[in-house]
């Protein structure tokens, strides 16, 4: 017989961990106790040594799905205590709790079974949940995570639910949102005018969906607009939502329905079914299929994650469009009253319930590359899990960028990234952003004593940081955009020292006041050098060029000495360029994509951000391997890719009748070669061999399927994102790391 003390750190509270340990201890024939502490859980166990060891292994390997174990420490004790049975000891003072909070969790297999079991008392009850599943982050008002501090507070448990809740043997032990049809939230169906429709809400909602109606459906972190997937209905949804071509995600009843339309590998299947149930970008089986849903080769797909979703599907309705309910670029609608007001005229009916969503949280969007997860939008199901990043200083708030607003807070080696908020260009998003920061500060007990933000003077996130810095007299570190991208990728890969940062995106403010975006940097967290970029591209009309991409095409052609007569309004653009009238320059990779997309005649206008890149990728022939030569011109220390040779080649080959698909592929292949050449230049200068890849342009799968491989062939070690997004949502983490290092150096 032996006795051991075991401390477990990580997310082990509010995720059914104590009942799990209780059951495990019994199964391993151990006696002892468990209690929550400010740093995790503390266990004492007594029994045969081999059983204690087996127990400690299973603590990790069989932990509940939502638990996140950071560390398990086991210490043998000299004496036996003679425990009888296994006790759960009441929690310490809540104020001392180290507050990790679980994300929202998709319905678990046990609850799904009960949902479908006619003899179960929760048969077809849309709010069924247990310690392993259900809402968490989105229903929490404050910590500690207890029912009175959630939006389940108004629902008092019936005797049956209360018994489950208090019984350690029960799988609903301490499940805060536990409820049943007798005591819990209820569904209502309202018509387009907001008047209740009598009858079976689910049955009627399904009828409407089958009839081609558009429904606002309340989910976990906000409302979806749901409708059938046929072209006519989707077109109507696009018209009402004023969303021309941007792809829609779909929710499929099960994997078999997904398999009808998309290819899936094992990792994609795993992630689709993970507790987070994100949207996963899958490759369409047939490129030309479902164009009305997605204008490219991929489709965002998810599986039902709430009981309500499961009830909506059947054989006749195996797939629905499920898109965040919001008006262009404003945050997702999450309150009933807000839905009825803002979605009027868009939704034909509203499927609502009376469990309030307290925090909005959009669906996460992710993908798989080389068998590993590659996130695009980190939100529901992932937030508010922390990242454990060595070298982060305490109590920094990093304010992120703009287009994909995101923030990060640090505490004791953990970094808490905020959820997806959207484009910070309008006041509503800004309000949501500021409110979300306050909420995080409260939930995690972080009072920031330093701030970090982007260099861009016009970002609202910069304004927020500046204001707070002045009001609260806090130090503010301004971090160059691409340096932040590079640092975020370093941080999540646990890299220290110096690396090559290949950072390609649409736009980011440079240290010289121009827009950068095709950068090859070298350096570490504290500082960086700019090693290579591309020749700046003048954008006649500034921001207008992002939508009217023929403007960028004009600049590329004009500066390369090619004929521009086919470009609309060429004379006017010529004048702007000549006189340098409203012609800011940009070295953004996104702009190069736009311009080439227009030159190839794929598209002259973009209807959503990044469409140029998306369409080029979709157009590219699969087996074309040719690339055009990559040449650089020198500007002091900086090497700039001279795209003029390439543009001339494109025009020549186009005139020679080479198909667009071939040219699109050759252009992308040239970018692959450019990536290699940039890194080789950086290596020659510095001897560095580790490359981090970051920036929104690396969401391009064509590039990501080739660049890492090519770099490895040249002896580089390549790192990419696994936990945060390569796009601007990930920038906040990088800002936080750069600020950490600069402040820690000053503070030494
Ligand atoms: Zn469950
Ligand atoms: Zn009940
Ligand atoms: Fe960026």
């Amino acid at each position: 017989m032996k006795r051991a003390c075991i401390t477990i750190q990580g997310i082990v509270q509010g995720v059914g961990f104590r009942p799990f340990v209780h059951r495990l201890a019994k199964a391993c024939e151990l006696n002892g106790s468990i209690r929550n502490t400010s740093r995790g859980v503390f266990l004492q166990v007594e029994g045969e040594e081999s059983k204690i060891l087996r127990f400690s292994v299973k603590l990790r390997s069989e932990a509940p799905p939502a638990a996140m174990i950071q560390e398990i420490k086991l210490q043998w004790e000299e004496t036996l205590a003679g425990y009888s049975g296994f006790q759960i000891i009441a929690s310490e003072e809540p104020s001392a709790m180290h507050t990790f909070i679980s994300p929202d969790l998709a319905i678990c297999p046990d609850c799904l079974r009960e949902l479908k079991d006619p003899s179960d008392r929760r048969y077809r009850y849309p709010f069924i949940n247990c310690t392993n599943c259900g809402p968490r982050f989105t229903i929490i008002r404050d910590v500690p995570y207890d029912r009175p501090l959630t939006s389940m507070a108004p629902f008092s448990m019936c005797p049956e639910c209360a018994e489950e809740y208090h019984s350690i043997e029960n799988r609903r032990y301490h499940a805060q949102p536990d409820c049943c049809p007798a005591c819990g939230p209820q569904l209502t169906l309202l018509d387009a005018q907001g008047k209740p429709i009598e009858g079976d809400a689910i049955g009627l909602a399904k009828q409407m969906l089958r009839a081609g109606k558009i429904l606002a459906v309340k989910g976990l972190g906000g409302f979806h607009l749901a409708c059938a997937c046929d072209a006519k209905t989707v077109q109507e949804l696009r018209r009402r939502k004023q969303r021309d071509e941007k792809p829609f995600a779909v929710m499929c009843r099960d994997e078999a329905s997904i398999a009808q339309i998309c290819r899936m590998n094992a990792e994609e299947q795993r992630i689709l079914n993970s507790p987070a149930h994100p949207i996963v970008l899958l490759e369409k089986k047939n490129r030309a299929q479902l164009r009305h849903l997605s204008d490219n080769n991929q489709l965002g797909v998810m599986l039902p994650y709430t009981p309500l979703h499961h009830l909506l599907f059947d054989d006749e309705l195996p797939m629905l469009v499920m898109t965040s309910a919001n008006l262009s670029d404003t945050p997702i609608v999450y309150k009933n009253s807000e839905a009825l007001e803002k979605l009027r005229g868009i939704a034909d009916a509203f499927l609502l319930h009376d469990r309030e969503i307290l925090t909005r949280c959009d669906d996460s969007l992710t993908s798989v590359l080389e068998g590993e997860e590659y996130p695009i939008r980190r939100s529901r199901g992932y937030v508010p899990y922390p990242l454990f990043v060595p070298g982060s200083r305490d109590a920094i708030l990093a304010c992120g960028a703009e287009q994909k607003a995101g923030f990060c807070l640090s505490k004791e080696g953990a970094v808490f990234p905020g959820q997806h908020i959207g484009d910070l260009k309008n006041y509503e998003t800004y309000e949501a952003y500021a409110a979300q920061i306050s909420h995080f500060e409260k939930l995690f007990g972080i009072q920031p004593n330093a701030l970090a933000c982007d260099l861009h003077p016009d970002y609202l996130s910069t304004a927020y940081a500046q204001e707070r810095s002045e009001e609260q007299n806090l130090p503010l570190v301004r971090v160059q955009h691409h340096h932040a991208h590079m640092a975020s990728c370093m941080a999540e890969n646990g890299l220290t020292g110096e690396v090559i940062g290949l950072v390609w995106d649409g736009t980011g403010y440079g240290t010289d006041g121009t827009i950068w975006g095709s950068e090859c940097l070298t350096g570490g967290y504290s500082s960086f050098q700019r090693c290579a970029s591309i020749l700046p591209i003048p954008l006649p009309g500034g921001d207008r060029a992002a939508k009217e991409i023929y403007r960028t095409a004009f600049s590329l052609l004009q500066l390369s000495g090619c004929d521009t007569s086919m470009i609309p309004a060429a004379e006017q653009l010529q004048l702007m360029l000549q006189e340098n009238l409203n012609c800011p320059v940009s070295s953004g990779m996104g702009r190069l994509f736009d311009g080439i997309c227009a030159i190839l005649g794929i598209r002259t206008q973009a209807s959503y951000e990044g469409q140029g890149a998306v369409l080029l990728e979709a157009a590219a022939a699969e087996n074309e391997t040719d690339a055009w030569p990559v040449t650089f011109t020198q500007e002091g220390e900086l090497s700039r890719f001279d795209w003029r040779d390439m543009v001339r080649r494109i025009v020549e080959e186009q005139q020679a009748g080479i198909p667009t698909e071939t040219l699109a592929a050759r252009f992308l292949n040239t970018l692959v070669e450019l990536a290699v050449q940039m890194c080789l230049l950086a290596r020659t200068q510095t001897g560095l061999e580790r490359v981090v890849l970051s920036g929104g342009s690396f969401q391009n799968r064509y590039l990501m399927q080739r660049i890492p491989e090519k770099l490895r062939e040249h002896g580089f070690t390549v790192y990419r994102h696994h936990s945060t997004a390569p796009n601007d949502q990930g920038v906040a983490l990088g800002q936080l790391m750069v600020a950490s290092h600069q402040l820690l150096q000053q503070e030494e």
Side-chain angles (χ1 to χ4, degrees):
M1 292 284 277
K2 283 273 220 176
R3 181 163 78 100
C5 292
I6 301 173
T7 43
I8 306 170
Q9 284 187 32
I11 299 178
V12 285
Q13 292 169 18
V15 291
F17 200 75
R18 286 176 303 164
F20 152 72
V21 170
H22 182 262
R23 281 194 300 274
L24 186 62
K26 276 191 151 180
C28 293
E29 298 169 333
L30 301 176
N31 290 333
S33 67
I34 179 168
R35 63 185 164 91
N36 280 338
T37 74
S38 59
R39 303 302 306 258
V41 293
F42 180 74
L43 295 170
Q44 303 205 54
V45 285
E46 204 165 76
E48 284 174 35
E49 184 175 351
S50 65
K51 286 179 177 165
I52 292 181
L53 287 171
R54 209 179 60 188
F55 171 78
S56 64
V57 169
K58 287 190 170 181
L59 278 176
R60 192 183 284 272
S61 64
E62 290 179 10
M68 187 168 137
I69 292 174
Q70 198 190 344
E71 192 177 29
I72 298 182
K73 270 192 206 137
L74 185 147
Q75 195 187 330
W76 297 105
E77 297 296 320
E78 303 278 301
T79 56
L80 295 179
Y83 302 111
S84 67
F86 196 88
Q87 264 84 48
I88 294 186
I89 299 170
S91 299
E92 277 180 17
E93 266 297 282
S95 61
M97 302 271 269
H98 192 94
T99 49
F100 287 135
I101 291 167
S102 164
D104 302 286
L105 304 164
I107 183 172
C108 74
D110 290 331
C111 287
L112 191 55
R113 211 170 300 124
E114 290 182 3
L115 183 73
K116 293 177 176 168
D117 176 2
S119 70
D120 193 276
R121 69 188 188 93
R122 293 189 181 85
Y123 175 56
R124 297 182 61 80
Y125 180 56
F127 305 96
I128 188 169
N129 67 83
C130 72
T131 33
N132 286 334
C133 76
R136 297 287 187 276
F137 173 59
T138 54
I139 59 162
I140 295 177
R141 198 181 301 278
D142 205 345
V143 285
Y145 172 56
D146 266 324
R147 188 153 171 141
L149 291 177
T150 70
S151 60
M152 283 302 288
F155 305 95
S156 45
M157 277 186 244
C158 68
E160 271 178 285
C161 286
E163 199 188 312
E164 293 169 335
Y165 179 87
H166 287 112
S167 144
I168 184 80
E169 306 288 337
N170 196 283
R171 62 185 196 84
R172 296 199 165 86
Y173 175 74
H174 279 198
Q176 303 304 341
D178 185 21
C179 59
C180 74
C183 67
Q186 302 295 333
L187 276 184
T188 30
L189 184 68
L190 305 180
D191 69 12
Q193 277 70 48
K195 285 195 215 75
I197 305 175
E198 293 301 316
D200 164 29
I202 299 264
L204 291 168
K206 285 168 70 163
Q207 261 177 33
M208 297 178 90
L209 287 168
R210 274 196 295 263
K213 302 286 187 207
I214 295 165
L215 260 65
V217 179
K218 189 168 178 177
L220 267 183
F223 278 80
H224 281 125
L225 289 169
C227 70
C229 294
D230 62 280
K232 195 173 148 236
T233 308
V234 172
Q235 198 188 353
E236 180 60 17
L237 175 63
R238 288 195 183 280
R239 191 186 67 76
R240 293 192 200 171
K241 216 189 163 197
Q242 293 173 26
R243 175 158 156 154
D244 295 345
E245 292 167 306
K246 200 172 173 192
F248 283 130
V250 297
M251 185 179 272
C252 290
R253 182 194 191 187
D254 48 25
E255 279 186 43
S257 325
I258 299 178
Q260 306 266 319
I261 48 170
C262 290
R263 273 182 257 277
M264 270 177 291
N265 61 36
E267 183 62 4
E268 287 160 345
Q269 276 171 309
R270 187 194 66 77
I271 295 172
L272 281 164
N273 287 292
S274 69
H277 268 53
I279 302 170
V280 181
L281 268 190
L282 298 177
E283 196 190 331
K284 286 186 203 165
K285 275 197 159 156
N286 177 344
R287 278 183 171 212
Q289 220 180 16
L290 304 172
R291 285 279 175 193
H292 59 288
L293 292 173
S294 144
D295 58 1
N296 59 81
N297 307 339
Q298 280 117 41
L299 184 65
V301 180
M302 62 184 146
L303 288 169
Y305 55 83
T306 67
L308 175 58
H309 293 149
H310 278 278
L311 296 173
L312 286 177
F313 291 98
D314 57 34
D315 288 339
E316 280 176 72
L317 210 62
M319 180 169 118
L320 289 169
V321 170
M322 279 280 189
T323 182
S324 295
N326 61 348
L327 304 174
S328 50
D329 290 339
T330 60
I332 185 170
V333 169
Y334 72 116
K335 290 193 164 108
N336 288 354
S337 56
E338 197 190 7
L340 289 168
E341 183 192 320
K342 291 192 173 163
L343 304 176
R344 181 166 288 222
I346 298 180
D348 294 310
F350 298 82
L351 190 54
L352 308 180
H353 57 73
D354 51 356
R355 187 181 69 203
E356 227 187 310
I357 298 172
L358 297 178
T359 297
R360 50 160 78 81
C361 202
D362 273 83
D363 291 321
S364 292
L365 174 58
T366 194
S367 64
V368 172
L369 266 177
E370 297 182 323
E372 286 176 57
E373 184 161 8
Y374 191 55
I376 298 166
R377 180 166 79 209
R378 190 178 187 274
S379 206
R380 177 189 53 75
Y382 294 79
V383 175
Y385 273 145
L387 305 171
F388 297 102
V389 185
S392 61
R393 172 193 175 280
D394 261 17
I396 296 181
L397 165 64
C399 297
E402 179 167 87
Q403 263 180 9
K404 293 183 170 65
F407 61 87
C408 252
L409 283 154
S410 57
K411 181 181 183 176
E412 295 165 19
V415 171
F416 298 90
Q419 74 271 47
H420 168 80
I421 295 165
D423 194 331
L424 254 194
K425 267 194 191 82
N426 60 70
Y427 186 68
E428 246 191 292
T429 323
Y430 180 78
E431 267 191 317
Y433 165 83
Q436 214 33 246
I437 292 176
S438 309
H439 189 53
F440 262 61
E441 287 174 5
K442 184 168 81 171
L443 287 186
F444 300 109
I446 302 173
Q447 193 54 54
N449 59 25
L451 301 160
C453 71
D454 199 275
L455 270 189
H456 203 303
D458 300 335
Y459 281 179
L460 284 181
S461 55
T462 306
Y464 175 90
Q466 241 162 340
E467 216 167 278
R468 254 188 99 154
S469 155
E470 282 159 25
E471 266 170 27
Q472 303 178 4
N473 195 24
L474 304 177
L476 171 61
V477 179
R478 289 163 205 269
V479 183
Q480 199 279 323
H481 187 86
H482 304 95
H483 186 206
H485 270 301
M486 168 177 134
S488 75
C489 191
M490 287 176 71
E492 67 160 276
N493 284 289
L495 303 182
T496 53
E498 303 221 315
V499 301
I500 299 169
L502 197 64
V503 184
W504 291 0
D505 66 1
T507 175
Y509 200 79
T511 52
D512 58 1
T514 71
I515 298 302
W516 295 5
S518 308
E519 308 309 309
C520 179
L521 311 177
T522 58
Y525 294 116
S526 312
S527 65
F528 73 97
Q529 288 80 46
R530 193 182 189 202
C531 168
S533 185
I534 65 172
L535 272 190
I537 305 169
L539 306 175
D543 283 347
R544 281 183 71 179
K547 291 245 147 120
E548 295 166 6
I549 58 178
Y550 64 84
R551 290 167 177 266
T552 312
F554 175 84
S555 292
L556 295 179
L557 291 168
Q558 174 75 15
L559 293 172
S560 307
C562 299
D563 178 26
T564 57
S565 55
M566 77 298 260
I567 301 280
E571 276 168 38
Q572 189 197 335
L573 296 175
Q574 163 77 39
L575 195 71
M576 292 175 84
L577 208 57
Q578 228 168 35
E579 305 293 325
N580 194 17
L581 284 170
N582 191 15
C583 265
V585 296
S586 165
S587 65
M589 182 55 71
R591 302 295 77 79
L592 190 60
F593 270 115
D594 287 348
I596 301 298
C597 180
I599 290 174
L600 290 181
I602 297 171
R603 187 55 78 91
T604 56
Q605 306 256 356
S607 73
Y608 60 89
E609 188 234 328
Q611 195 183 17
V614 165
L615 293 180
L616 268 168
E617 183 188 339
E622 270 170 284
N623 299 316
E624 175 64 31
T625 51
D626 281 2
W628 298 298
V630 169
T631 50
F632 289 90
T633 56
Q634 214 56 32
E635 185 187 299
E637 300 275 276
L638 181 66
S639 306
R640 286 195 186 267
F641 167 51
D642 192 336
W643 36 258
R644 290 175 298 187
D645 292 337
M646 179 182 73
V647 171
R648 286 187 283 267
R649 289 290 291 269
I650 292 174
V651 173
E652 272 166 35
E653 293 185 16
Q654 201 174 24
Q655 279 163 358
I658 295 182
T660 303
E661 296 70 46
T662 309
L663 296 177
R666 283 183 189 167
F667 167 63
L668 292 170
N669 293 339
T670 307
L671 295 184
V672 174
E673 185 57 25
L674 174 64
V676 172
Q677 293 300 329
M678 281 183 166
C679 291
L680 288 171
L681 279 170
R683 184 164 70 185
T684 310
Q685 283 175 20
T686 60
L688 297 169
E689 288 187 330
R690 295 181 300 174
V691 179
V692 297
L693 296 177
S694 191
S697 298
F698 290 127
Q699 278 164 220
N700 187 299
R701 295 181 70 81
Y702 191 101
L703 296 184
M704 283 309 284
Q705 280 158 355
R706 289 164 177 82
I707 289 176
E709 197 186 310
K710 274 270 149 59
L711 287 172
R712 281 183 217 119
E713 279 171 22
H714 283 83
F716 293 100
T717 314
V718 183
Y719 300 88
R720 59 171 175 76
H721 290 274
H722 298 278
S723 316
T724 59
N727 58 46
D728 283 5
Q729 196 195 17
V731 160
L733 171 64
Q735 292 173 347
L736 192 139
M737 293 307 288
V738 171
S740 288
H741 282 255
Q742 292 185 359
L743 291 168
L744 287 170
Q745 274 169 8
Q746 287 168 21
E747 285 158 9
E748 251 169 33

